[in-house]
Amino acid sequence: MTHTNTPRKYVIANWKMHGDLAHNQALLDRYVSQLSDLKGTQVVVCVPYPYLAQAQAKLQGTGIAWGAQNLAKNEDGPFTGEVSAQMLCDFGSQYVILGHSERATAYCESDENIAQKFMVAKKHGITPILCVGETLIEREAGVMELKVGKQLDAIIDLYGVEVFQNTIVSYEPIWAIGTGLAATPDQAKAMHLFIKGKLMQVNATHENSVKILYGGSVNPQNALQLFMVEHIDGGLVGKCSLNAQEFEGICQAAESCQE
Ligand code: PGA
């Protein structure tokens, strides 16, 4: 299945640093048999770099897309351990997660670095999935819009808001990631409205081209409720993407709440 029109919902698997050849093989086989003919949902699998070739071999021509979880801000050169956008393209990657909080905190990734990576991805035709979100302390202090606004401004100030065309932003409250405690639909709705409002400063076509996902403890039980919220265009799924049955449940939720 290939989407001729922009899909209404996206469900993106973030495998993080999980998996091995045998496990991936079984999981991807299952994804392909269960999720290849969804009508309005684009499924994307973001795998660790070494498994891009495996994802490409398994998913090519199925309608399920694949991508990576980071890329280098430089095009090429003496950057030991880095992986360039062109290398991702060599393995058919159409998406890349950028600015995930696990990278921002553990690898001291700055907003400026993330902004540069965002542009490099776009230049190579890879859709960036930009993660933004606040910590629990920031939420309790009521400064979540300030935090997320700053993360978006790091890109807008350098390159203009137009660069968000044909990209994906994932609102990921850090307190909800891997904790089993998802944001409530109301909490998510308020932040999605804020993000949408900020990216709306361009023009009407822009409104349709940027997708805003929710990420943080999405599971088959809460997915439908979250995906039904206006301005939530799908989810970025960590833990539950490693379990075929749970991931299918989430994808079916996205599929069943299409207008
Ligand atoms: P989680 O991860 O679904 O395990 O909470 C989400 C994410 O980190 O993108």
Side-chain angles (χ1 to χ4, degrees), residues 12-14 16 97 100-102 131 170 172-173 176-181 214-219 236-241:
I12 301 182
N14 176 9
K16 309 192 180 186
I97 296 172
H100 193 283
S101 58
E102 286 158 11
C131 299
S170 187
E172 306 225 318
I177 296 175
T179 59
L181 183 76
Y214 167 79
S217 295
V218 176
N219 62 38
L236 181 57
V237 184
K239 186 164 168 279
C240 287
S241 70

Side-chain angles (χ1 to χ4, degrees), residues 23 165 167 251:
H23 181 263
Q165 289 200 21
T167 67
C251 293

Side-chain angles (χ1 to χ4, degrees), residues 47-83:
V47 304
Y49 293 138
Y51 302 122
L52 281 171
Q54 187 184 27
Q56 182 179 33
K58 284 265 152 208
L59 299 177
Q60 200 142 41
T62 66
I64 300 175
W66 63 96
Q69 302 167 17
N70 186 28
L71 54 64
K73 65 180 177 180
N74 302 94
E75 293 286 343
D76 65 359
F79 303 106
T80 304
E82 291 290 277
V83 172

